[in-house]
Every structure is written in C-alpha cells, then in structure tokens.
Amino acid sequence: MRIAILGGTGEQGPGLALRWAQAGEEVIIGSRQKEKGEKVAIELNQELGKELLRGTDNVTAAAAAEVVVLTVPYSAHVSTLESVKEQLQGKIFVDVSVPLDPENARRVIMPSAGSAAEEAQQVLGSEVKVVGALQNVSAHVLRDINAVIDCDVLVCGSDKDARATVMQLIERLGIHAIDVGPLEAARQIEPITALLIRLNIRHKVHSAGIRLTGLPKR
Amino acid sequence: MRIAILGGTGEQGPGLALRWAQAGEEVIIGSRQKEKGEKVAIELNQELGKELLRGTDNVTAAAAAEVVVLTVPYSAHVSTLESVKEQLQGKIFVDVSVPLDPENARRVIMPSAGSAAEEAQQVLGSEVKVVGALQNVSAHVLRDINAVIDCDVLVCGSDKDARATVMQLIERLGIHAIDVGPLEAARQIEPITALLIRLNIRHKVHSAGIRLTGLPKR
C-alpha cells in the first residue's frame, strides 16, 4: 500500500517510515519543505542500505498516497491539515497527533472538538476517513528499528473498513492493533500519551507503553 | 492495617473488602445507612466462611480506620466526601472514583478541579493525604475472589509516603502497583476507565484492563 507520512522528518515519522518500508509497503516521506523531505529520505535509505523510501513536500506526498499518516507536533496540526485537505478527500487519514500542553508534556489540553482526531475530521470534512492510531507508541522505540515494540495500538475511527485497513498496516509492523470503535474514543486514547511521558520522566526511561488485558483472543 | 471502604456495598467495594480481608487486613464496610453496611458485611463473611469483616455507616467507618477508600458512584462523590471530611483529617484517603458521563459510561466529564481525585483534595483540604488508585480495575474481576487480576494499578498522590503505603496495600491484593507521581496524574488515569468500559461493551467482556510496559523492573 502507498503510505504518505506527513511531518515524516520529525519524532515518530522516521521510525514508522523505516518499519513500513522494511515490511514491504511503499512509503513517501512528506515535509513542509520538499528539500527536507528528500534529504531525510536519502538518510533513511542509507540506514536501510536499500532505496526503499522517497521524500517530497507534504502536498505532493498526500496526493500520491492511498493512506496518509500525520505525525507533526500538535502546534502544526490544523495548519498541516488545511494544507492537504484537498489531496485527502476520499482517502484514509491516520492522525497520530496528541494535544500535549506545550508548557508541560505530562498533560494534554483537549481541543474543543473533543480530541485532535475529531478536530481533524472537522477540518477535513466527512469525505475523509479519519482514523486515530499509534499515539501511544514510544517514538524512541519506534526509531530503533531493531527494537521489539512491546505495546498495543488502539485504533478508533468512524469508518469500519478504514479502521480495518489501518489495523492491518499496524499488524505489518508486528504490533497488535485493538479496535476501539468510533473516533470519539480518541478522547481517552490521546491523554494516555501524556501519562506515558509522565511515567518516562519519573522512571527515567523512553519506552513506557500500554498493553490491554482481559480482551478476547483473536 | 485498618481499612474503611466507603460505599462498600456498591460495585467495587465488596471485591476489595473480600480480597483485603483474605490478605489479613482489617476491613470495615461503610454505607450511607448503617443497617445496609451491617447486612453486606454479614453476607460477605458468609462467602468467606469466616467473620473477618464488619459493616457500619460511612462516618463511623471513616472514624475507625487508618486508610479510607471511596468507591461510591461519581454522583455521590462530593456529598460523601463532605459527610466524612472531619473523620478523614490527617489520614490517607484513596479515591477510586471516576467522573463517568451519566448518559454514556464510555465517556468522562472531568470536573473543574481537573479530576475526581483533585476534587476530593479540594473538598477535604490539605491535611488529608489523597491518593488516586484502583480506578481501572474491573469490578467484575475484583468481585470474583478466585479470579486472577491481570492488570496493573496506577497510583498517584501528592504525599510520597501515602503513595507508598497505598502501593503496599495494592500489592497485598497480588496486583502490581505503579507510582505515577503527583495527584494531577489522575487527569489521565480516570479517563482510562471510560476507555475500558468502551472496550468491554465492544468486545462483549467485563474484564478489560491495562498493563504498563517498558518500565524498569523492580
């Protein structure tokens, strides 16, 4: 599947790009500046020892992909969404954003829409299949491509087929994906990131994650 | 240790009472009505086959205990706190409350204090050592005293020694307790209960829980 990772040069983007490329997906790194996207793609290809990734600007990346993943810091959330709104129509959009308090990342300040994912749906309109996922995965663990990812990923979104597609893409990364239902579940999922940052700081690690227990085995 | 469980006749109270009594702690069940507290204690003692528990009203229970645990529905949160405020001064108070949306338990409506636990601190004053804990444990699993509890418990509170005492009490139940730091972490911990209720409904179970990964082994 052709996946664009917007803000792919930031914290979570490169880890996702490398892991999906290694799993055989076609990945396009998007950045605000085309040159930066290209540069990061070259660096990541060097790390892989193969030319699996390409980089460009966010708009070109979004236009070319079937599934578009957003990993920008929350301060760039709405502006990035607006810049690619046209290119996302009819597609699956995966929002990894968390509205962390810029003054204290141990907290969230939830937007008036209820969550970052619901805000994305408002900005993008009803024809975009917005899915919230991957917010709670340690960027640090994700980036170390030899590290095993010891956590689950909660997936929410109002289009059932879009949820299923994203869950499959997550399973391709070797991560167990859990269906949480409608997009408004992002209201409970996004704050968990602040909790994990709090635990990372307190316990002096970069790897805190969650697993769900007590659910039926698949 | 002498533990009072206020609202001990409700959903989570009896399971906690039975398990702590079996672990050798002295447990007093509190209820709004003394007769109801007494009745439930008799029933739970019958289940244990031993007279380990006693029941009374909330005020008497709070006055007699060293550690006081609140498990009432959120609608009775502030009124119960006010009724025992005097008896709690200088003690450890464990708030298990979650401000679930009364219209839809898949959501929370956080109080203006930030969380139910912080609201308790506001109502009770600074001399009460408020600890948030046990909000995310399935009441269903807790109540089945032969069931193994497959989840972690996140513990927050602004008094470090009080947190440590509560963590020890939780470990007495065979549950791994994790120190999350100050009381305001309850803002992230309480919404997880709504997420677990959402998962229980969606996956047709009563046992969803969370475990933390990526933290140092103790």
Side-chain angles (χ1 to χ4, degrees), chain A residues 75-95:
Chain A
S75 56
H77 189 241
V78 170
S79 61
T80 309
L81 291 169
E82 282 169 347
S83 73
V84 294
K85 177 174 175 177
E86 195 188 314
Q87 288 74 26
L88 293 185
Q89 296 304 308
K91 296 184 181 174
I92 296 175
F93 171 73
V94 182
D95 204 341

Side-chain angles (χ1 to χ4, degrees), chain A residues 195 198-199 202-203, chain B residues 91-95 115-121 125-126 128-135 153-167 170 177-190:
Chain A
L195 177 72
R198 189 182 281 285
L199 285 165
R202 169 158 290 273
H203 296 277
Chain B
K91 296 183 180 174
I92 295 174
F93 172 73
V94 183
D95 203 341
S115 59
E118 289 165 285
E119 184 177 62
Q121 189 78 67
S126 60
V128 179
K129 294 159 198 158
V130 176
V131 174
L134 291 160
Q135 302 98 329
V153 164
L154 302 168
V155 178
C156 64
S158 300
D159 186 292
K160 197 183 165 187
D161 295 337
R163 279 204 313 269
T165 300
V166 173
M167 287 175 70
I170 289 164
I178 294 173
D179 186 355
V180 195
L183 196 61
E184 72 152 60
R187 294 177 197 187
Q188 289 104 42
I189 297 170
E190 294 172 9

Side-chain angles (χ1 to χ4, degrees), chain B residues 113-152:
Chain B
S115 59
E118 289 165 285
E119 184 177 62
Q121 189 78 67
Q122 276 185 5
V123 171
L124 298 172
S126 60
E127 294 304 306
V128 179
K129 294 159 198 158
V130 176
V131 174
L134 291 160
Q135 302 98 329
N136 305 331
V137 181
S138 159
H140 186 86
V141 174
L142 211 51
R143 184 63 188 80
D144 175 1
I145 53 171
N146 297 312
V148 174
I149 298 175
D150 181 19
C151 70
D152 294 328

Side-chain angles (χ1 to χ4, degrees), chain A residues 16-146:
Chain A
L16 284 172
L18 287 168
R19 287 174 184 262
W20 267 321
Q22 281 192 316
E25 306 295 339
E26 187 180 342
V27 179
I28 311 163
I29 301 259
S31 182
R32 220 157 33 145
Q33 295 162 299
K34 187 181 175 203
E35 295 69 28
K36 195 171 174 204
E38 289 172 341
K39 181 169 167 278
V40 169
I42 290 168
E43 288 166 7
L44 295 178
N45 281 329
Q46 281 169 348
E47 186 170 337
L48 287 169
K50 276 182 271 188
E51 242 181 77
L52 293 178
L53 299 159
R54 60 192 170 102
T56 183
D57 62 274
N58 282 333
V59 174
T60 307
E66 297 159 273
V67 171
V68 178
V69 180
L70 183 67
T71 64
V72 295
Y74 185 68
S75 56
H77 189 241
V78 170
S79 61
T80 309
L81 291 169
E82 282 169 347
S83 73
V84 294
K85 177 174 175 177
E86 195 188 314
Q87 288 74 26
L88 293 185
Q89 296 304 308
K91 296 184 181 174
I92 296 175
F93 171 73
V94 182
D95 204 341
V96 186
S97 308
V98 175
L100 296 173
D101 181 347
E103 307 274 307
N104 182 352
R106 298 176 186 85
R107 295 179 178 175
V108 281
I109 301 176
M110 301 307 278
S112 60
S115 59
E118 289 165 285
E119 184 176 60
Q121 188 78 70
Q122 277 186 5
V123 171
L124 298 171
S126 60
E127 294 305 306
V128 179
K129 295 159 197 159
V130 176
V131 174
L134 291 159
Q135 303 98 329
N136 306 332
V137 181
S138 158
H140 187 86
V141 174
L142 210 51
R143 184 62 187 80
D144 175 1
I145 54 171
N146 297 311

